[in-house]
Amino acid sequence: MRVGGSAEWLLEPTTPDELHRAWVAVHEAGSALRLLGAGADVIVGDGLHRCVVIATSRLDRVFRPGTMEDDENAFEVQPENVGRVAQPPRDQDPRLVAWCGASLPGLVRAASELGWSGLEGLVGVPGRLGGAVTTNAGGRWGELWDVIETVRVLDEAGEVRDLKREDCSPAYRDGRLGSAIVIGAVLRLQSSTRAEVQDRARSYLLEKNAVQPVTQASAGCIFKNPDREVSDGRSAGQLIDDLGLKGLRRGAAQVSLLHGNFIINLGGARAADVLGLADEVAARVADDAGVQLEREVRTWLADQQ
Ligand code: EPU
C-alpha cells in the first residue's frame, strides 16, 4: 500500500537457524515482534512502531527435496548439496521446498517452467510464502494450501515443528496456524507440461488484470467476501459497487474505480486515510446493505502517531 511509519528494529535473517535465533533474541529482550514478508497484505500504521520487525526477504530459497523416501530431511537439503544427494526424476517427485521468504510469483514461475501444475491459480498474487501460508492466499482458481504437504513452523514456545497438511484445517483466507511463524513448506505439485501450465496461468492472469487495479499501489482486497447467504450471493466488491462507493476518496486514498474491494494509494496517502476510508466503506455497507464486512488485510498500528 506504500503507507505507514517506521519500526525501531529490523532483522533480516538469511537461514532458518538465524530466524530461530532472532526469535529467541527478541523474546529474551521482551520486545514486541512482527513478521514481514513482502507487505502485500498489510497496512502499516503511521508513526513509530516500538517493535522488532523480522523481514523474511533473504530467506528466499527454493529447491527440490532430497529423496522421495527421506521426507524428514526435506528442509535440510541445501542447494549446494543438490547433485550430491540422490534425486528421483522430476516427473516422479514434483515437490518443491520453499523457505518463508520465497516470492510467490517466483514460485509460480518456477513450477510452470518445470511443467508442474498446482500453483498457477496463484498467478498474479504478490507476496512471499510465509504470509501466503499464514493467510491461505488464493482466489477463484485455487488456494496455497491445496498444494501444501508439510509446513515447518516455529511455535509460540519457540519449538520447531513440522505440521502435515492432514493435521491442519486451513480455511478461506486463514491458514489457521495461530501465532506460529512459518519457516518454510514442502509443496506437492502434479506433473504436467510446461505449455499446459503456462497457458492456464496466462489466461487466469488476463482475466484478473482486467478487473483488478494491478498497476496501482494497494493491499489487494480490503475485505473478505461475506457469507453468500447473508449477502444474497454478492461479493464484497459487488456490495461496495452497488452502493456507488467506487471513487470515494479520503486524502490520497481512493476506492478503486475498477474494483470496489480495492483501496488504492493515488500517491502520498497516509495510513490513517486508508483505514478511515475502509471504515467508512464498511459502515455504509452495514447501514445500507445490512452486511458486516470483515477486513481481510492485516493492520499494524503504531504506538506513537
Ligand atoms: N464485482 C462487481 N463490482 C466490483 C467488483 C466485483 O460487481 O467492483 C462482481 C464481479 O463482476 C463478480 C463478483 O463481483 O461477479 C466477484 O468479483 P471478482 O471475480 O473480482 O472476485 P472477488 O470475489 O472480488 C476474489 C478474491 C481475490 C482474487 C479473486 C480472483 C476475496 C476477498 N477476493 O475476488 O483476492 O484475486 O477472487 O480469484 O476473496 C485478495 O485476496 O487480496 C484478492 C484480490
Side-chain angles (χ1 to χ4, degrees):
M1 183 60 92
R2 303 207 186 111
V3 296
S6 33
E8 269 184 324
W9 293 93
L10 175 74
L11 301 180
E12 295 182 287
T14 61
T15 62
D17 182 53
E18 279 186 13
L19 171 62
H20 195 177
R21 285 191 286 140
W23 186 95
V24 171
V26 172
H27 279 76
E28 281 176 3
S31 300
L33 171 63
R34 281 177 170 156
L35 259 290
L36 181 68
D41 206 25
V42 182
I43 298 176
V44 177
D46 305 305
L48 177 68
H49 295 252
R50 292 202 181 283
C51 66
V52 180
V53 171
I54 297 184
T56 63
S57 53
R58 297 174 72 186
L59 282 156
D60 59 352
R61 287 188 167 178
V62 178
F63 46 94
R64 294 183 63 203
T67 68
M68 262 193 296
E69 293 75 30
D70 195 10
D71 271 352
E72 271 189 12
N73 293 322
F75 286 92
E76 310 329 324
V77 177
Q78 303 288 323
E80 48 272 22
N81 290 338
V82 169
R84 278 185 266 151
V85 180
Q87 281 190 317
R90 280 182 179 176
D91 57 348
Q92 284 178 28
D93 186 18
R95 292 185 301 158
L96 289 171
V97 182
W99 287 356
C100 54
S103 112
L104 216 51
L107 276 166
V108 172
R109 206 166 34 245
S112 75
E113 272 164 19
L114 286 159
W116 293 353
S117 169
L119 274 173
E120 62 273 23
L122 289 155
V123 68
V125 178
R128 299 184 185 277
L129 182 88
V133 173
T134 306
T135 62
N136 193 12
R140 192 151 20 112
W141 304 287
E143 297 175 329
L144 184 64
W145 275 84
D146 296 344
V147 297
I148 282 181
E149 182 174 274
T150 314
V151 176
R152 176 163 289 189
V153 298
L154 199 53
D155 69 14
E156 44 283 11
E159 298 296 327
V160 175
R161 287 171 52 206
D162 287 339
L163 309 174
K164 297 250 171 243
R165 168 69 182 81
E166 53 271 27
D167 299 328
C168 299
S169 38
Y172 168 62
R173 287 303 190 280
D174 187 357
R176 297 245 170 99
L177 292 176
S179 53
I181 291 170
V182 175
I183 297 173
V186 180
L187 309 178
R188 180 173 283 282
L189 304 159
Q190 294 111 40
S191 290
S192 177
T193 65
R194 191 187 296 187
E196 236 178 78
V197 179
Q198 287 180 342
D199 276 357
R200 260 199 306 274
R202 212 169 291 127
S203 79
Y204 295 156
L205 195 60
L206 280 174
E207 237 183 279
K208 199 168 161 171
N209 288 357
V211 296
Q212 294 186 2
V214 290
T215 57
Q216 290 170 296
S218 81
C221 283
I222 292 284
F223 302 105
K224 291 184 182 177
N225 280 334
D227 189 326
R228 295 180 69 82
E229 301 217 339
V230 178
S231 68
D232 246 348
R234 289 182 294 170
S235 65
Q238 200 170 352
L239 286 163
I240 295 164
D241 191 0
D242 288 352
L243 291 173
L245 299 176
K246 280 176 163 172
L248 190 68
R249 269 182 75 165
R250 191 173 284 217
Q254 183 182 46
V255 177
S256 165
L257 295 165
L258 196 55
H259 195 297
N261 199 8
F262 282 68
I263 290 180
I264 54 169
N265 179 356
L266 296 169
R270 290 169 353 107
D273 300 328
V274 177
L275 296 171
L277 185 57
D279 285 346
E280 185 178 342
V281 168
R284 293 280 296 274
V285 172
D287 289 348
D288 299 347
V291 178
Q292 300 290 338
L293 291 179
E294 189 192 333
R295 276 204 207 141
E296 191 217 84
V297 288
R298 313 259 166 141
T299 49
W300 292 1
L301 295 182
D303 313 274
Q304 230 173 284
Q305 297 290 317

